[in-house]
Amino acid sequence: MGKRIHFIPILVLIAFVSLVGSMAATVVPNRGAHVGFYSTTCPQVEAIVRATVKSHFRLDPTVAPGLLRMHFHDCFVRGCDASVLLVGPRTERAAPPNLSLNGFEVINDAKSRLERVCPGVVSCADILALAARDSVVLTKGVSWAVPTGRRDGRVSLALEANNALPNVNDTIQTHRKLFKSKGLNTQDLVTLVGAHTIGTTACSVFKYRLYNFSTTTRSGADPAMNPSFVHQLRTLCPKNGEGSLNIGLDISTPNQFDTSFFSNLRNGRGVLESDQKLWNDPLTRAFVRRFLLKGSLGLNFELEFGKSMVKMSNIGVKTGTRGEIRRICTMVN
């Protein structure tokens, strides 16, 4: 089976998508960046990033959901400008929601390789966007064309990250308002949270749902949870345990990018409270249902995921003379 992929609650871009052959989604980008930005200045960029992500993934599959989450956390704070990569005691990277991010070494490695071939050309923000896409492909998801041309930001503040990122116990209304403020709609919310089909989270993140959630149920567990699932998770996450064990957010197929995450929500088997609320709220439940339906009434999750990722990856993009092209991703020039 290999190493289990590590997550991180991520709530984890619109353009038009068409299927290329039967495997890849090609997205026509909106304003801010465009597909093929480096076609003349660094035509090897996508191949180099893809090879780098693949080499790290072979050694440590946890980088796939890690990079996907990192891209989300970057875009929701100051836009998609690689500010999450900057190192410092008060940068975004030092904020509590970002302390469990992983995959930084992949971005640094890709940047080093690109600097040897195309010095001073490719931004760290674009590397992160490409790496997030490649992570989905490596976990058997469908590819999409990534618009590039972003520039890197020079400011990174931990306080902003604390205030801008969603929490696992927020209401759906709170999440919808947050996503709307970024130009993302309810379908984007459900689609991007679907990134939780890969990866894991620690028992400590959700254990309150198992023991101390409700005074109206005899067990004390969240009544939205399937009782058999409560029993399963309690076995894995005992009440007095240390809480560091990682559990698949998609308990069925935590290493594969698919729709079983949504099936789990329908069956009361969402690990995170905010995930399960997607089924409990009628506005978001409608999209969960459509991702599970076949035919004209259904939605193709993997193709829609590419659309929403492109839409998300254009939040607050810096182009032209704004920002810079960092020589090293962890520090400004």
Side-chain angles (χ1 to χ4, degrees):
M1 295 294 291
K3 182 182 284 186
R4 194 170 213 187
I5 292 182
H6 178 70
F7 161 83
I8 315 145
I10 130 171
L11 280 173
V12 112
L13 306 171
I14 237 173
F16 300 98
V17 174
S18 60
L19 189 63
V20 176
S22 60
M23 293 300 294
T26 300
V27 184
V28 180
N30 62 10
R31 61 184 177 83
H34 63 270
V35 175
F37 179 84
Y38 299 109
S39 60
T40 58
T41 56
C42 191
Q44 312 97 312
V45 57
E46 294 208 21
I48 291 172
V49 173
R50 185 183 306 114
T52 305
V53 176
K54 187 175 183 179
S55 66
H56 284 265
F57 177 80
R58 284 173 173 169
L59 297 173
D60 179 11
T62 71
V63 300
L67 291 167
L68 197 52
R69 182 192 182 217
M70 189 189 300
H71 185 39
F72 174 86
H73 281 217
D74 181 43
C75 292
F76 265 59
V77 185
R78 290 190 165 267
C80 308
D81 66 350
S83 53
V84 75
L85 303 178
L86 292 173
V87 173
R90 297 180 182 86
T91 64
E92 294 170 33
R93 192 162 166 175
N98 290 333
L99 293 178
S100 56
L101 289 178
N102 71 315
F104 292 105
E105 70 282 359
V106 182
I107 305 302
N108 294 338
D109 188 10
K111 178 63 171 175
S112 296
R113 298 186 192 192
L114 286 165
E115 285 297 299
R116 290 194 291 269
V117 178
C118 313
V121 173
V122 181
S123 70
C124 300
D126 280 343
I127 294 171
L128 181 52
L130 292 167
R133 185 271 311 274
D134 295 339
S135 295
V136 171
V137 175
L138 284 168
T139 50
K140 305 188 187 308
V142 170
S143 184
W144 63 90
V146 176
T148 47
R150 303 166 190 80
R151 289 169 68 84
D152 300 321
R154 297 187 177 97
V155 178
S156 182
L157 301 172
L159 183 61
E160 291 183 345
N162 287 331
N163 296 331
L165 296 169
N167 294 311
V168 296
N169 56 357
D170 283 342
T171 65
I172 290 297
Q173 289 74 19
T174 298
H175 282 167
R176 289 179 65 228
K177 182 178 180 180
L178 174 60
F179 274 62
K180 184 178 180 180
S181 73
K182 305 298 181 184
L184 303 170
N185 58 31
T186 302
Q187 180 177 327
D188 296 317
L189 165 63
V190 178
T191 305
L192 293 170
V193 175
H196 291 179
T197 185
I198 56 173
T200 68
T201 190
C203 289
S204 59
V205 173
F206 64 86
K207 195 162 64 171
Y208 70 95
R209 299 184 69 206
L210 305 179
Y211 301 100
N212 306 309
F213 187 87
S214 174
T215 58
T216 61
T217 60
R218 181 179 300 177
S219 68
D222 184 346
M225 299 180 74
N226 186 308
S228 66
F229 192 49
V230 172
H231 176 74
Q232 180 182 356
L233 292 181
R234 282 179 170 177
T235 301
L236 296 169
C237 305
K239 187 173 184 178
N240 297 319
E242 62 180 32
S244 60
L245 179 69
N246 289 314
I247 305 297
L249 287 167
D250 174 355
I251 204 79
S252 304
T253 56
N255 299 343
Q256 185 168 324
F257 203 91
D258 56 24
T259 59
S260 66
F261 169 77
F262 296 113
S263 298
N264 291 336
L265 301 185
R266 180 181 58 191
N267 297 326
R269 296 173 65 84
V271 174
L272 300 181
E273 182 183 356
S274 55
D275 288 354
Q276 189 58 53
K277 285 175 178 175
L278 293 178
W279 180 257
N280 300 337
D281 183 278
L283 291 175
T284 50
R285 181 168 61 238
F287 291 105
V288 175
R289 281 177 166 161
R290 291 190 69 189
F291 283 138
L292 294 172
L293 286 174
K294 304 295 183 181
S296 60
L297 297 178
L299 283 171
N300 185 312
F301 167 59
E302 292 185 333
L303 294 183
E304 295 302 323
F305 189 79
K307 292 181 183 180
S308 291
M309 284 292 283
V310 170
K311 192 174 179 180
M312 186 190 81
S313 73
N314 273 303
I315 296 173
V317 167
K318 295 172 177 62
T319 57
T321 58
R322 298 175 63 211
E324 64 183 10
I325 304 298
R326 288 184 212 144
R327 291 186 292 271
I328 300 173
C329 289
T330 56
M331 63 181 69
V332 297
N333 292 340

